[in-house]
Amino acid sequence: MSEKLMFVQGNEACVQGALYAGVDFFAGYPITPSTEIAELLAAKLPEKGGKFIQMEDEIASMCAIIGASLTGHKVMTATSGPGFSLKQEAIGYACMAEIPCVIVDVQRGGPSTGNPTHVSQGDINQARWGTHGDHGIIALTASNHQDVFRITVDAFNLAETYRTPVVLLFDEVIGHMRERLVVPEPGALPIVDRLRTSVPKDVDYHPYLPREDGRLPMSDFGGHHRYNVTGLFHDMWGFPSNNPSVVQELLRHLVDKIDTNVDVITRYKEHYLDDAEYILVSYGSSARSAIHLAKNRRQKGERLGVLELQSIWPFPAELVRARCADAKAVVVVEMNMGQVLTQVKAAVDHPNRVFLANRIDGKLITPSDIKGLLRVIQGKGV
Amino acid sequence: MAIKDYLRERFFPHMWCPGCGHGTILNSLLRAIEDLGLSKSNIVMTSGIGCSARISGYVDFHSLHTLHGRALAFATGVKLSKPELTVIVPMGDGDALAIGGNHFIHAARRNIDITAIVMNNRIYGMTGGQFSPLSGPGKKATTAPYMTIDNEFDVVELAKAAGATFVARSTAYHCQEATGYLKQAILHKGFSVVEILSQCPTHYGRKNKEGDAAAMLEIQRDTTARIGSKALDENPGLIPRGIFVDIEKPEYCEEYGKIIERATKRKAS
C-alpha cells in the first residue's frame, strides 16, 4: 500500500483521518454542514466490518458511541451547533466515566438554528464549557485538509491516551471546501490503540485505579472483568460514592489529567513568526486568510506573522505568551465575538496590545478585512 | 448458582424504600437469568436514572449506569458494536417514557435485540413523588397537588404500535409469572418489552391512599387479569396481563451483518 492522492471536502479529509486512526463505530444524525461525514462513513465502515448507525436524535448518537466505546471500539460522531448543544450532557458523561470518543463539530452560525449553511467559529466556548460541572476537555482544529486528516488521527490518539472525549472543531468552510489530500501509507503516522488491562481473569480489576504512569487501562464489556460504569462520582471500582474525599480526588483528576498535559496536547503552526512585529493568532478557516495576508505583507517588507492554533483546549496559554512577548500588537482573527481573544488577552503580558479582527455575518473573513484593522492599529488609517 | 452470586454485595444495602416493588422485580429477573443459565460475563445491563436504574449497580454483570432517559441509546451502541452480548435495560416509567420516550419507540422500530423492562410504579420516586406519564388523570402527586389532568400512556399499546416484537405485562405481585415472561423476553430475538407494575408505597401509595406495600400488592392482584381469562372477559376494566406480542421479524444487528456482507463484497469486486 502506498500513499493515496485525493481531491476532497474537509469533511471527507476528516473521514479519511478517522478511518486511518481505526474508527470502527459511528453513530450520527443528519445536520448541516457535517452530514457528509455520516454519509461517507455509512458507506465505508461496513466495508471494513465496522458499524454505522443513524440514530433517532443527536443525544442518542452521542450515547450510542459511548456504549460502543465500552465494548472496545474506536468511536466517533459528527454534528454542528444545535446538535453539539444537544450532545453536551452525554459529553459530560464521557468526561466523568472516562470513555474515549471523538466528537466532530463542523461549526455554523448560531445561536439556535442560526445560519446553517454558513461559516462561524462560535462554538469555541461551548466546546470548553458546554457540559455542566468542572472537567478537562481536549478540542482540536485545523485550517487545511492535510492538517484536518492529521489532527483527526491525533484526536483518536489523544482520546485513547487520556480516556477522554476529544472535540474536533472544524467549520463550514473547512468542511465543504475541496482541496488536495494525500493519505499517508498505513504506519506512516503513529496510532494509539486501546490500552487494555493485563489483570487476568478471576482477579479483581479496578477500572479507575491508575497505573504508575497515571493511565487507566480498560477492559472491554463482554470480557472477563465485570465492572460498573456510572456518571455519578465513583471510586476505583466504579461504584458510586459521595464520600467527600472520593468526590474531590476524582474531580481534580478529571481536570488535572488534561490541564497538566497541556504541553503534550498542544498543537500549533508558526508562519513567518520569527521576527514578527505584528502577530495574527488564528485557527481553522480564518487562519487561511491570516496566512495569506502575512505572506503578501512579507513581500512588502512588513514583519507580520501568524501563530496558528491547532489545539484550542486546553488553551496553550504559555505558548501564546512566549510567542507574543515581543509583538507590537497581537490580532486575534476569528469568526465570533472574541472567544479565543479572551484567552489570548488572559495569556499575554500586555493585554492592551491585543485586538480582534472578526466577522460574524456568515462570510469567511478575508485578508483585506484583517488588513483594514491592522492599518488602524498601525496608525495608517483605513 | 445461588441468587446472591448474581449480586454485588459490596453495593448493599440497596437504596430502595421498605416495601418498594423493585427488589421483587430484581428477584424475578435474576431467577429468569439463572433458569436460562446465562453467563454473567455475557450480560450487559444498561440503565438510566431513577430508583429502578440503580438495579444495574447491584447485579454482577457488565453494568452501565447512564443518563436519565438515555439507557436504550447507550444500549443500542453496546448491542450493535458487540451483538453476541445479551443486553438488558431496566427502566422506570418516567425514565422510559417521558424523557426517554423517543429512544423507546425507535429501539422498538429498529427491532434491535434488547430486553427493555419498564418497572412501572406510576411516579417519580427518587425526586420525591412527582406524577409521571404513566400516572394517569385524577391522581395526587407533589406536582399535582389538586390532581393530575394528564392522560397516561399504555406501555403495551405503545410498544406494539412502535414495532416491538415481544410485549408482555406482569406485576411485582405476580413475581413467578414475571420470571416466565422475562425468560421469554431475553430469549426472544428482537426488541422485547416487559412492563412490570411495581408499588411505591412511599410516594404514590401514601398520596393516593392506596395503603402500605401489602395493600398495594393486593391492588395489583385485584385490578389485573390474565388475557383470555374469564375474569378479564367479565371485567374489561381490569388491566390485562400476559404476552401481547410474540412475533418474528428481521433483527437489526443481523440485518446490519448483511449490510457488512454486501459492502465487503462490493469492495472486493
Side-chain angles (χ1 to χ4, degrees):
Chain A
M1 287 270 278
S2 59
E3 60 181 37
K4 191 166 63 175
L5 179 65
M6 307 178 87
F7 184 67
V8 292
Q9 288 190 335
N11 283 342
E12 178 155 10
C14 172
V15 166
Q16 290 295 334
L19 291 166
Y20 190 93
V23 68
D24 52 8
F25 189 95
F26 179 97
Y29 186 82
I31 186 166
T32 304
S34 79
T35 306
E36 294 84 2
I37 295 175
E39 289 173 338
L40 288 161
L41 284 169
K44 293 190 183 300
L45 277 177
E47 286 179 354
K48 54 174 265 191
K51 310 278 172 70
F52 165 92
I53 186 167
Q54 181 170 313
M55 292 299 286
E56 56 272 22
D57 59 33
E58 296 277 2
I59 298 169
S61 308
M62 189 63 218
C63 298
I65 65 165
I66 295 171
S69 185
L70 277 166
T71 63
H73 294 83
K74 286 196 175 181
V75 301
M76 181 165 99
T77 186
T79 188
S80 186
F84 193 45
S85 297
L86 286 164
K87 291 184 192 301
Q88 292 299 333
E89 186 194 11
I91 292 173
Y93 183 90
C95 289
M96 177 61 111
E98 303 189 68
I99 315 288
C101 54
V102 175
I103 304 108
V104 187
D105 174 19
V106 185
Q107 295 169 92
R108 66 190 226 188
S112 189
T113 315
N115 206 349
T117 55
H118 290 73
V119 72
S120 160
Q121 293 169 329
D123 300 351
I124 302 295
N125 281 332
Q126 195 186 10
R128 181 65 191 89
W129 295 116
T131 197
H132 58 281
D134 285 300
H135 58 282
I137 196 85
I138 297 173
L140 310 172
T141 183
S143 67
N144 66 67
H145 291 10
Q146 203 61 48
D147 288 351
V148 165
F149 178 93
R150 206 210 55 218
I151 212 82
T152 302
V153 175
D154 277 355
F156 279 91
N157 288 348
L158 291 170
E160 294 295 336
T161 303
Y162 295 105
R163 282 192 60 171
T164 182
V166 175
V167 180
L168 284 166
L169 279 173
F170 300 136
D171 59 55
E172 190 276 335
V173 165
I174 294 297
H176 283 161
M177 177 181 62
R178 284 185 186 272
E179 192 170 70
R180 177 188 144 98
L181 170 71
V182 181
V183 177
E185 346 185 342
L189 296 181
I191 302 296
V192 177
D193 284 321
R194 178 70 48 93
L195 177 67
R196 292 183 168 87
T197 181
S198 56
V199 171
K201 192 183 175 189
D202 299 326
V203 176
D204 281 341
Y205 159 71
H206 301 93
Y208 297 101
L209 182 65
R211 292 198 312 196
E212 273 181 17
D213 61 0
R215 292 188 66 186
L216 295 168
M218 297 183 75
S219 180
D220 297 348
F221 267 27
H224 300 312
H225 307 293
R226 298 180 301 274
Y227 60 98
N228 191 51
V229 177
T230 178
L232 290 161
F233 279 98
H234 48 269
D235 61 17
M236 67 180 182
W237 296 93
F239 285 3
S241 173
N242 50 19
N243 177 323
S245 65
V246 170
V247 170
Q248 170 166 298
E249 196 178 323
L250 176 53
L251 189 53
R252 284 210 169 129
H253 161 72
L254 295 180
V255 173
D256 290 351
K257 73 173 180 177
I258 306 295
D259 287 359
T260 58
N261 285 300
V262 60
D263 293 344
V264 189
I265 295 165
T266 293
R267 267 82 174 145
Y268 67 101
K269 276 180 150 178
E270 298 183 359
H271 309 270
Y272 317 103
L273 206 54
D274 281 346
D275 61 344
E277 289 180 331
Y278 293 91
I279 296 177
L280 308 176
V281 176
S282 194
Y283 54 91
S285 62
S286 43
R288 298 174 74 93
S289 295
I291 296 163
H292 184 89
L293 179 68
K295 190 175 167 193
N296 282 355
R297 301 314 290 174
R298 280 277 166 180
Q299 285 163 3
K300 298 192 162 65
E302 205 172 299
R303 283 153 68 183
L304 181 64
V306 179
L307 174 60
E308 180 190 349
L309 303 180
Q310 295 186 312
S311 61
I312 306 286
W313 304 116
F315 191 75
E318 184 49 36
L319 169 82
V320 170
R321 192 199 63 77
R323 292 298 186 281
C324 297
D326 301 325
K328 284 186 179 168
V330 175
V331 178
V332 179
V333 182
E334 56 183 337
M335 289 179 286
N336 56 48
M337 290 295 285
Q339 297 188 21
V340 165
L341 173 82
T342 313
Q343 297 300 319
V344 173
K345 274 182 177 279
V348 298
D349 300 326
H350 305 288
N352 57 330
R353 294 182 199 164
V354 181
F355 301 88
L356 173 66
N358 71 339
R359 266 189 96 139
I360 53 164
D361 60 355
K363 293 288 182 191
L364 178 66
I365 192 164
T366 65
S368 48
D369 291 333
I370 308 165
K371 193 172 84 179
L373 183 85
L374 258 182
R375 286 181 63 90
V376 173
I377 295 167
Q378 292 165 336
K380 293 178 183 168
V382 278
Chain B
M1 244 184 325
I3 284 291
K4 78 173 183 49
D5 294 332
Y6 291 94
L7 295 170
R8 289 172 174 148
E9 289 179 71
R10 192 182 285 110
F11 255 102
F12 283 72
H14 61 68
M15 47 75 71
W16 294 319
C17 302
C20 174
H22 289 2
T24 312
I25 296 171
L26 172 59
N27 193 329
S28 293
L29 176 63
L30 292 183
R31 286 181 196 283
I33 288 165
E34 186 188 26
D35 285 355
L36 293 173
L38 300 176
S39 157
K40 294 196 286 186
S41 291
N42 206 45
I43 301 174
V44 177
M45 187 173 280
T46 305
S47 65
I49 295 293
C51 299
S52 61
R54 290 302 181 101
I55 272 197
S56 64
Y58 302 142
V59 292
D60 188 21
F61 309 136
H62 304 282
S63 60
L64 181 55
H65 178 236
T66 69
L67 303 172
H68 194 29
R70 315 299 172 202
L72 283 170
F74 282 86
T76 298
V78 170
K79 181 66 185 181
L80 180 60
S81 65
K82 214 169 202 174
E84 63 269 32
L85 296 174
T86 298
V87 181
I88 301 173
V89 183
M91 295 176 285
D93 39 306
D95 196 33
L97 292 158
I99 191 165
N102 200 33
H103 310 306
F104 184 83
I105 57 174
H106 285 276
R109 172 181 64 77
R110 280 187 198 103
N111 195 35
I112 188 163
D113 186 17
I114 290 172
T115 302
I117 306 167
V118 181
M119 299 160 66
N120 178 10
N121 58 13
R122 304 188 188 280
I123 202 87
Y124 286 89
M126 190 170 267
T127 45
Q130 299 75 34
F131 69 92
S132 93
L134 296 179
S135 299
K139 303 290 176 4
K140 287 279 183 68
T142 59
T143 46
Y146 304 105
M147 67 171 192
T148 52
I149 55 171
D150 290 48
N151 294 318
E152 76 270 43
F153 277 130
D154 180 323
V155 181
V156 166
E157 293 302 321
L158 183 68
K160 276 163 70 175
T165 47
F166 182 94
V167 182
R169 179 190 283 135
S170 187
T171 81
Y173 178 87
H174 302 90
C175 55
Q176 287 176 330
E177 176 189 86
T179 293
Y181 295 164
L182 287 166
K183 273 161 67 175
Q184 283 182 261
I186 292 166
L187 287 177
H188 179 78
K189 195 85 190 162
F191 190 70
S192 47
V193 176
V194 182
E195 179 190 14
I196 305 182
L197 303 181
S198 185
Q199 72 279 7
C200 175
T202 305
H203 297 296
Y204 189 91
R206 201 162 41 135
K207 283 249 177 222
N208 290 289
K209 306 210 170 3
E210 290 196 357
D212 61 8
M216 291 184 80
L217 283 164
E218 283 169 1
I219 291 173
Q220 290 172 16
R221 180 194 64 196
D222 297 339
T223 59
T224 64
R226 287 285 285 272
I227 45 175
S229 68
K230 199 170 153 221
L232 192 60
D233 279 350
E234 288 171 0
N235 300 288
L238 294 176
I239 300 166
R241 302 191 326 269
I243 296 170
F244 300 84
V245 179
D246 186 2
I247 53 171
E248 275 186 43
K249 258 190 178 175
E251 190 275 330
Y252 192 82
C253 299
E254 289 186 351
E255 293 303 298
Y256 198 86
K258 292 178 194 165
I259 294 286
I260 291 177
E261 263 176 49
R262 202 182 301 172
T264 44
K265 260 187 214 151
R266 189 184 76 169
K267 173 115 186 176
S269 64

